[in-house]
Amino acid sequence: MTKNVWSITLEDSLHTIEFERGVWSTKHTIRVDGQVVHEGRSYATDFGTDDSFQIGKHACTVHTRTHWTKIDYDLSIDGLSITTGQPASLRVPLPKWAWIFIVACIAVPIITLGGALAGAIGFGGAYVCLDIARRSAWQTRRRVVVSAGVTLLCYALLVLLLVTTTNVRTLFSAGQTAWQEFTSTAGGYSIVMPGKPIEQKQAVDTTGGSVDLYSASIDNQSGSYIAMYADYPANAVGHSDPQKLLDGSRDGAVANSGGTLVSEQKLLLNNYPGREIQVSVPAQNGQPAVLLIDRYFLVGQRLYQTMAIIPNGQQISADAQRFLDSFKLLKQ
């Protein structure tokens, strides 16, 4: 609660006038010689009040004016300010034209869907337009022109904010490794991946015995990408139906992932038989649900496999499609 006190003499009588205003509330009270003579309220958009009351035959008014971080108080008796001795200026009501600029400024954070900087620009501009619109000492033309300038400044700052944000995102994206072709000379294939993959070798038990599985894998925000190959014993594939071998690879992938087969189609790569399957894997063991897209190609005794795993995926992404379609066999 803030309090301002004036002592004035009217018709040889000394009077004490107190004006109390809530710091956080909108209520204010005027007392004359300790007696409440007026109560009122103010609002943020008022930018000040003119509260009138009578002392005998004299018309008195307490004037408050909000200026950013401070509030000015004045008292007038019969229209004359006791501070300056000049006629007191009454508060100018907010003109209707001011709402055009106020709303235009408030629209700034709406355009950007929020954000602290956009909010500061928009609401700060609206506050300035409110203040300018109520400056009674300025002609209407001047107030309109300055309010328009403030609004244009807000949108100029908005453009600067958007451009700066876009540039930062571009720099961030540029800092990430670009898609590049990975070539495995030993594996006899090439494929495009989002960066340099990690290469590994591990032994895998199969019905035909242990085989070495060679993989190249990389993860990024769009998913995981893996290219693999393994050479199976001649007796394991020499007299077997290639489609049955691919069926076995499909069944193993579905079982090992704990997912559900969504789709399957036969493929050919340089006349070598292949298969593409899509497996929906539910969330499990603290991991999110994923869509697994797996392609197999049987080239002689060698089984190639390319796999894209998309977090929370419902359908194949452009990155996954790019990765899978880029797989090529090297000329021997």
Side-chain angles (χ1 to χ4, degrees):
M1 182 75 71
T2 60
K3 179 186 288 188
N4 285 266
V5 180
W6 296 273
S7 295
I8 60 172
T9 300
L10 294 175
E11 299 172 349
D12 299 327
S13 296
L14 180 63
H15 299 280
T16 300
I17 301 171
E18 301 173 59
F19 179 83
E20 290 184 348
R21 182 178 185 273
V23 176
W24 303 111
S25 70
T26 60
K27 183 179 179 180
H28 47 263
T29 304
I30 298 176
R31 292 183 176 86
V32 176
D33 299 329
Q35 299 296 316
V36 175
V37 296
H38 176 81
E39 289 184 329
R41 289 187 177 276
S42 61
Y43 301 91
T45 56
D46 288 337
F47 275 69
T49 58
D50 293 310
D51 296 284
S52 298
F53 57 98
Q54 290 286 133
I55 299 180
K57 296 182 294 183
H58 300 280
C60 306
T61 303
V62 174
H63 309 275
T64 65
R65 298 291 182 266
T66 303
H67 301 287
W68 295 97
T69 58
K70 69 172 185 175
I71 301 175
D72 292 334
Y73 300 91
D74 193 14
L75 172 66
S76 66
I77 307 296
D78 296 327
L80 297 178
S81 167
I82 67 169
T83 303
T84 65
Q86 301 297 317
S89 298
L90 296 178
R91 181 180 63 90
V92 178
L94 184 65
K96 293 182 179 180
W97 57 258
W99 286 107
I100 297 174
F101 304 109
I102 294 168
V103 172
C105 290
I106 293 176
V108 169
I110 298 175
I111 293 173
T112 60
L113 300 180
L117 288 177
I121 293 171
F123 290 106
Y127 189 89
V128 173
C129 289
L130 272 169
D131 186 27
I132 291 171
R134 283 216 169 97
R135 295 195 176 186
S136 58
W138 290 13
Q139 293 182 348
T140 300
R141 178 183 176 84
R142 181 183 179 187
R143 287 183 284 157
V144 171
V145 170
V146 176
S147 295
V150 170
T151 304
L152 290 175
L153 177 60
C154 287
Y155 278 87
L157 292 174
L158 171 62
V159 172
L160 179 62
L161 174 64
L162 294 176
V163 170
T164 302
T165 303
T166 301
N167 288 340
V168 170
R169 289 175 178 170
T170 301
L171 289 173
F172 178 77
S173 299
Q176 297 179 338
T177 307
W179 284 73
Q180 56 188 264
E181 185 176 67
F182 169 74
T183 300
S184 172
T185 303
Y189 74 91
S190 68
I191 194 167
V192 173
M193 305 185 84
K196 185 177 180 180
I198 298 174
E199 298 181 67
Q200 292 180 317
K201 171 187 173 182
Q202 65 182 101
V204 178
D205 292 328
T206 70
T207 55
S210 179
V211 299
D212 291 329
L213 178 66
Y214 298 86
S215 66
S217 62
I218 187 170
D219 298 331
N220 72 359
Q221 293 180 343
S222 64
S224 299
Y225 306 91
I226 310 166
M228 298 175 281
Y229 73 91
D231 293 318
Y232 288 85
N235 59 358
V237 296
H239 303 290
S240 300
D241 182 355
Q243 293 300 329
K244 289 185 178 180
L245 292 174
L246 294 174
D247 286 343
S249 296
R250 172 202 63 202
D251 296 340
V254 174
N256 291 334
S257 68
T260 303
L261 183 66
V262 175
S263 66
E264 179 180 18
Q265 61 176 320
K266 293 182 178 181
L267 302 174
L268 281 177
L269 178 68
N270 299 350
N271 290 321
Y272 293 110
R275 196 78 59 85
E276 177 186 293
I277 63 171
Q278 293 188 19
V279 181
S280 177
V281 183
Q284 53 188 333
N285 301 323
Q287 298 298 316
V290 298
L291 179 67
L292 184 151
I293 306 100
D294 209 348
R295 286 184 180 179
Y296 313 91
F297 297 101
L298 187 60
V299 181
Q301 297 174 220
R302 178 169 291 177
L303 181 68
Y304 289 99
Q305 186 175 355
T306 56
M307 182 186 302
I309 304 172
I310 308 170
N312 297 312
Q314 298 299 318
Q315 59 183 4
I316 187 168
S317 66
D319 283 350
Q321 194 72 57
R322 177 183 184 183
F323 165 74
L324 295 168
D325 290 345
S326 68
F327 180 77
K328 296 178 183 179
L329 296 176
L330 300 181
K331 293 182 179 180
Q332 300 297 324

